[in-house]
Amino acid sequence: MTDIAPTCTPQRHPLLWPAMAALLIFGWSSGFIGIRYANEEASVFLLLFWRTLLSGLILLPFALAFGPRLGLRAVVAQMGFGVMAVFLYLGGFALAIEQRVPTGLVALIADLLPLAIAALSQPLLKERLTARQWLGTGIAVAGVLTVSFDSLSFGAAPLWAYGITVGSMLVFAFASVLHKGRKALHIPVHQSLCIHTLTGSVLFGICALLAGDGLSPPMTGKFAFGIAWLVLIGTFAAYSVYYTSLRMFPAAKVSAAIYLSPPVTMLWAWALFDEPLTATMFVGLAITLAGVWLTSRD
């Protein structure tokens, strides 16, 4: 069931969307930093367990004190969304990497998320993209492919691991469209994110135990820094801005900003880890910017 558009749409400041898009790109791309630090000290499932557990526990007192009182039906609906948007999305990519699907290919498939959301928005939300927006989407995809070209390889992972990579991206795309279209999911963002992350933490904890990793965190500075970064920026900044933007703007417009995540991630890697930048990356960044501008402009 889709939202009914109000007869009078409130005017928003013209700089609101650019500011929110910048925050979204910053949070989405910077998740790489936390993973880079924390994954050196712990397995992927243990890392995701502590990321989601701490995120949920920090938000819990605010979720209980501020906002409407949630009934069982609302909580169950949010838990279902948390399974899709947190556990299956993050866990699927983590499992794919663990099965030796090349990281560059995993990142490329993950960054095609806006294309899947754009395709689902038309039949499920009746948000029709114009010819200009489809052209912008195609240009942005070409930019992402250009940026990722040097790091692409297919590896020797089992076929099902590649399927999990694509499936995880499609699950999050469906969850995003579902969140946009169902008013039952529109509770305050801090409450919904609390339920999503706590749900994910239970499932990631079970996976860590089944894998024999235990639940004890490594007592190292790198792990602490990585988890702090993933909680504060990778979860709070990225997810909260993403959910809020979905409620205010068309889904395809919001997701288009994610196309800029790969080139911005490479700038992070250059600034913090001295990873090289190539002329191809800058060409890809320029192409992606042009595509996102065409897709997002009113």
Side-chain angles (χ1 to χ4, degrees):
M1 181 177 179
T2 57
D3 293 334
I4 300 175
T7 56
C8 181
T9 303
Q11 293 293 324
R12 298 191 176 101
H13 195 282
L15 294 179
L16 177 60
W17 168 240
M20 295 187 72
L23 287 173
L24 178 59
I25 296 164
F26 172 81
W28 212 268
S29 63
S30 65
F32 154 80
I33 297 172
I35 292 174
R36 176 75 174 261
Y37 278 102
N39 198 31
E40 295 179 4
E41 308 293 326
S43 68
V44 173
F45 284 124
L46 185 60
L47 183 160
L48 292 173
F49 167 71
W50 282 103
R51 171 185 177 174
T52 51
L53 179 65
L54 292 177
S55 298
L57 291 178
I58 291 171
L59 289 172
L60 185 58
F62 300 97
L64 295 175
F66 304 101
R69 184 176 180 180
L70 301 179
L72 179 61
R73 183 177 179 182
V75 172
V76 170
Q78 293 296 329
M79 289 175 65
F81 190 82
V83 170
M84 290 187 290
V86 176
F87 177 68
L88 293 179
Y89 178 61
L90 297 178
F93 287 123
L95 184 59
I97 292 173
E98 191 173 64
Q99 291 296 318
R100 301 186 183 279
V101 177
T103 304
L105 183 59
V106 172
L108 175 62
I109 294 173
D111 292 322
L112 294 180
L113 169 69
L115 180 61
I117 290 178
L120 290 172
S121 294
Q122 185 164 326
L124 297 181
L125 297 179
K126 308 304 180 186
E127 292 182 356
R128 296 186 178 275
L129 272 68
T130 64
R132 171 181 54 78
Q133 288 176 310
W134 278 117
L135 175 62
T137 296
I139 292 173
V141 171
V144 170
L145 288 170
T146 302
V147 170
S148 306
F149 181 78
D150 290 338
S151 62
L152 283 183
S153 62
F154 288 95
L159 185 61
W160 62 264
Y162 295 95
I164 283 179
T165 311
V166 177
S168 298
M169 181 270 291
L170 293 176
V171 164
F172 190 80
F174 178 73
S176 298
V177 174
L178 184 67
H179 184 275
K180 174 73 175 177
R182 290 189 60 189
K183 287 185 176 180
L185 294 174
H186 288 187
I187 65 174
V189 171
H190 67 284
Q191 290 184 316
S192 62
L193 191 55
C194 176
I195 298 172
H196 299 169
T197 51
L198 289 179
T199 302
S201 71
V202 172
L203 297 173
F204 285 131
I206 293 172
C207 290
L209 290 173
L210 291 176
D213 300 326
L215 298 180
S216 300
M219 306 303 290
T220 65
K222 278 190 174 182
F223 183 80
F225 178 83
I227 290 295
W229 190 281
L230 286 171
V231 169
L232 297 176
I233 299 179
T235 300
F236 291 166
Y239 272 85
S240 61
V241 173
Y242 183 69
Y243 290 160
T244 303
S245 299
L246 279 179
R247 300 182 187 187
M248 300 175 66
F249 303 99
K253 179 175 182 175
V254 174
S255 62
I258 298 174
Y259 282 127
L260 287 169
S261 177
V264 174
T265 296
M266 291 174 182
L267 291 175
W268 278 110
W270 167 75
L272 294 177
F273 304 113
D274 294 323
E275 293 189 6
L277 292 176
T278 66
T280 303
M281 294 177 183
F282 285 104
V283 171
L285 174 59
I287 295 172
T288 306
L289 280 169
V292 171
W293 178 76
L294 279 174
T295 304
S296 299
R297 74 183 182 92
D298 294 327

mmCIF file of all heavy atoms in Angstrom, residues 192-214:
data_model
loop_
_atom_site.group_PDB
_atom_site.id
_atom_site.type_symbol
_atom_site.label_atom_id
_atom_site.label_comp_id
_atom_site.label_asym_id
_atom_site.label_seq_id
_atom_site.Cartn_x
_atom_site.Cartn_y
_atom_site.Cartn_z
ATOM 1 N N SER A 192 12.906 2.941 15.234
ATOM 2 C CA SER A 192 13.018 1.879 14.228
ATOM 3 C C SER A 192 14.450 1.355 14.124
ATOM 4 O O SER A 192 14.671 0.145 14.058
ATOM 5 C CB SER A 192 12.540 2.391 12.866
ATOM 6 O OG SER A 192 13.337 3.470 12.416
ATOM 7 N N LEU A 193 15.424 2.256 14.156
ATOM 8 C CA LEU A 193 16.820 1.820 14.042
ATOM 9 C C LEU A 193 17.243 1.006 15.259
ATOM 10 O O LEU A 193 18.034 0.063 15.140
ATOM 11 C CB LEU A 193 17.721 3.043 13.879
ATOM 12 C CG LEU A 193 19.180 2.776 13.482
ATOM 13 C CD1 LEU A 193 19.251 1.936 12.214
ATOM 14 C CD2 LEU A 193 19.934 4.084 13.296
ATOM 15 N N CYS A 194 16.715 1.332 16.425
ATOM 16 C CA CYS A 194 17.000 0.556 17.631
ATOM 17 C C CYS A 194 16.524 -0.885 17.466
ATOM 18 O O CYS A 194 17.261 -1.835 17.749
ATOM 19 C CB CYS A 194 16.333 1.217 18.840
ATOM 20 S SG CYS A 194 16.520 0.285 20.377
ATOM 21 N N ILE A 195 15.291 -1.063 17.009
ATOM 22 C CA ILE A 195 14.747 -2.405 16.828
ATOM 23 C C ILE A 195 15.507 -3.162 15.737
ATOM 24 O O ILE A 195 15.817 -4.352 15.887
ATOM 25 C CB ILE A 195 13.245 -2.324 16.486
ATOM 26 C CG1 ILE A 195 12.477 -1.679 17.645
ATOM 27 C CG2 ILE A 195 12.681 -3.716 16.194
ATOM 28 C CD1 ILE A 195 11.027 -1.379 17.326
ATOM 29 N N HIS A 196 15.829 -2.459 14.655
ATOM 30 C CA HIS A 196 16.549 -3.122 13.555
ATOM 31 C C HIS A 196 17.897 -3.656 14.017
ATOM 32 O O HIS A 196 18.263 -4.800 13.723
ATOM 33 C CB HIS A 196 16.791 -2.127 12.407
ATOM 34 C CG HIS A 196 15.536 -1.580 11.808
ATOM 35 N ND1 HIS A 196 15.518 -0.520 10.938
ATOM 36 C CD2 HIS A 196 14.241 -1.951 11.973
ATOM 37 C CE1 HIS A 196 14.280 -0.269 10.588
ATOM 38 N NE2 HIS A 196 13.493 -1.117 11.200
ATOM 39 N N THR A 197 18.653 -2.823 14.722
ATOM 40 C CA THR A 197 20.002 -3.228 15.117
ATOM 41 C C THR A 197 19.980 -4.302 16.200
ATOM 42 O O THR A 197 20.798 -5.229 16.173
ATOM 43 C CB THR A 197 20.815 -2.020 15.588
ATOM 44 O OG1 THR A 197 20.073 -1.277 16.571
ATOM 45 C CG2 THR A 197 21.128 -1.084 14.422
ATOM 46 N N LEU A 198 19.060 -4.206 17.163
ATOM 47 C CA LEU A 198 18.983 -5.252 18.186
ATOM 48 C C LEU A 198 18.560 -6.587 17.577
ATOM 49 O O LEU A 198 19.058 -7.645 17.982
ATOM 50 C CB LEU A 198 18.011 -4.834 19.296
ATOM 51 C CG LEU A 198 18.493 -3.714 20.219
ATOM 52 C CD1 LEU A 198 17.423 -3.372 21.248
ATOM 53 C CD2 LEU A 198 19.796 -4.094 20.925
ATOM 54 N N THR A 199 17.644 -6.536 16.615
ATOM 55 C CA THR A 199 17.269 -7.766 15.906
ATOM 56 C C THR A 199 18.475 -8.362 15.189
ATOM 57 O O THR A 199 18.741 -9.570 15.264
ATOM 58 C CB THR A 199 16.151 -7.475 14.888
ATOM 59 O OG1 THR A 199 15.022 -6.928 15.557
ATOM 60 C CG2 THR A 199 15.739 -8.747 14.157
ATOM 61 N N GLY A 200 19.222 -7.501 14.496
ATOM 62 C CA GLY A 200 20.421 -7.965 13.800
ATOM 63 C C GLY A 200 21.457 -8.539 14.750
ATOM 64 O O GLY A 200 22.117 -9.540 14.437
ATOM 65 N N SER A 201 21.592 -7.919 15.935
ATOM 66 C CA SER A 201 22.614 -8.385 16.879
ATOM 67 C C SER A 201 22.324 -9.804 17.362
ATOM 68 O O SER A 201 23.252 -10.609 17.532
ATOM 69 C CB SER A 201 22.704 -7.423 18.072
ATOM 70 O OG SER A 201 21.564 -7.517 18.903
ATOM 71 N N VAL A 202 21.050 -10.126 17.596
ATOM 72 C CA VAL A 202 20.701 -11.485 18.026
ATOM 73 C C VAL A 202 21.091 -12.496 16.955
ATOM 74 O O VAL A 202 21.707 -13.536 17.231
ATOM 75 C CB VAL A 202 19.193 -11.573 18.339
ATOM 76 C CG1 VAL A 202 18.790 -13.022 18.601
ATOM 77 C CG2 VAL A 202 18.840 -10.703 19.538
ATOM 78 N N LEU A 203 20.760 -12.174 15.701
ATOM 79 C CA LEU A 203 21.040 -13.112 14.605
ATOM 80 C C LEU A 203 22.534 -13.209 14.314
ATOM 81 O O LEU A 203 23.057 -14.305 14.067
ATOM 82 C CB LEU A 203 20.270 -12.671 13.363
ATOM 83 C CG LEU A 203 18.741 -12.690 13.512
ATOM 84 C CD1 LEU A 203 18.073 -12.082 12.295
ATOM 85 C CD2 LEU A 203 18.240 -14.110 13.751
ATOM 86 N N PHE A 204 23.236 -12.073 14.357
ATOM 87 C CA PHE A 204 24.684 -12.116 14.145
ATOM 88 C C PHE A 204 25.387 -12.845 15.291
ATOM 89 O O PHE A 204 26.392 -13.526 15.080
ATOM 90 C CB PHE A 204 25.246 -10.708 14.008
ATOM 91 C CG PHE A 204 24.957 -10.056 12.685
ATOM 92 C CD1 PHE A 204 24.439 -8.777 12.620
ATOM 93 C CD2 PHE A 204 25.209 -10.725 11.502
ATOM 94 C CE1 PHE A 204 24.171 -8.179 11.401
ATOM 95 C CE2 PHE A 204 24.939 -10.141 10.269
ATOM 96 C CZ PHE A 204 24.415 -8.860 10.229
ATOM 97 N N GLY A 205 24.863 -12.695 16.511
ATOM 98 C CA GLY A 205 25.433 -13.416 17.644
ATOM 99 C C GLY A 205 25.301 -14.912 17.480
ATOM 100 O O GLY A 205 26.246 -15.676 17.762
ATOM 101 N N ILE A 206 24.141 -15.371 16.985
ATOM 102 C CA ILE A 206 23.942 -16.798 16.733
ATOM 103 C C ILE A 206 24.924 -17.290 15.670
ATOM 104 O O ILE A 206 25.533 -18.359 15.798
ATOM 105 C CB ILE A 206 22.480 -17.060 16.298
ATOM 106 C CG1 ILE A 206 21.527 -16.775 17.473
ATOM 107 C CG2 ILE A 206 22.312 -18.491 15.802
ATOM 108 C CD1 ILE A 206 20.057 -16.827 17.083
ATOM 109 N N CYS A 207 25.105 -16.484 14.608
ATOM 110 C CA CYS A 207 26.042 -16.865 13.538
ATOM 111 C C CYS A 207 27.471 -16.951 14.065
ATOM 112 O O CYS A 207 28.223 -17.873 13.701
ATOM 113 C CB CYS A 207 25.966 -15.848 12.398
ATOM 114 S SG CYS A 207 24.433 -15.903 11.450
ATOM 115 N N ALA A 208 27.858 -15.993 14.927
ATOM 116 C CA ALA A 208 29.212 -16.010 15.476
ATOM 117 C C ALA A 208 29.432 -17.247 16.342
ATOM 118 O O ALA A 208 30.496 -17.878 16.298
ATOM 119 C CB ALA A 208 29.459 -14.741 16.286
ATOM 120 N N LEU A 209 28.426 -17.619 17.128
ATOM 121 C CA LEU A 209 28.545 -18.811 17.971
ATOM 122 C C LEU A 209 28.616 -20.077 17.131
ATOM 123 O O LEU A 209 29.410 -20.985 17.413
ATOM 124 C CB LEU A 209 27.360 -18.878 18.939
ATOM 125 C CG LEU A 209 27.330 -17.823 20.048
ATOM 126 C CD1 LEU A 209 26.020 -17.904 20.827
ATOM 127 C CD2 LEU A 209 28.525 -17.994 20.991
ATOM 128 N N LEU A 210 27.778 -20.169 16.087
ATOM 129 C CA LEU A 210 27.792 -21.344 15.223
ATOM 130 C C LEU A 210 29.123 -21.480 14.481
ATOM 131 O O LEU A 210 29.571 -22.590 14.187
ATOM 132 C CB LEU A 210 26.640 -21.270 14.217
ATOM 133 C CG LEU A 210 25.231 -21.434 14.797
ATOM 134 C CD1 LEU A 210 24.182 -21.246 13.714
ATOM 135 C CD2 LEU A 210 25.066 -22.806 15.457
ATOM 136 N N ALA A 211 29.747 -20.326 14.182
ATOM 137 C CA ALA A 211 31.042 -20.345 13.490
ATOM 138 C C ALA A 211 32.202 -20.616 14.432
ATOM 139 O O ALA A 211 33.347 -20.732 13.995
ATOM 140 C CB ALA A 211 31.259 -19.020 12.763
ATOM 141 N N GLY A 212 31.901 -20.703 15.751
ATOM 142 C CA GLY A 212 32.946 -20.971 16.724
ATOM 143 C C GLY A 212 33.773 -19.757 17.101
ATOM 144 O O GLY A 212 34.862 -19.898 17.682
ATOM 145 N N ASP A 213 33.277 -18.560 16.816
ATOM 146 C CA ASP A 213 34.033 -17.342 17.117
ATOM 147 C C ASP A 213 33.844 -16.861 18.558
ATOM 148 O O ASP A 213 34.636 -16.062 19.050
ATOM 149 C CB ASP A 213 33.612 -16.208 16.174
ATOM 150 C CG ASP A 213 33.857 -16.553 14.715
ATOM 151 O OD1 ASP A 213 34.855 -17.253 14.451
ATOM 152 O OD2 ASP A 213 33.067 -16.130 13.858
ATOM 153 N N GLY A 214 32.784 -17.331 19.229
ATOM 154 C CA GLY A 214 32.458 -16.790 20.540
ATOM 155 C C GLY A 214 31.909 -15.382 20.410
ATOM 156 O O GLY A 214 31.710 -14.865 19.308
#
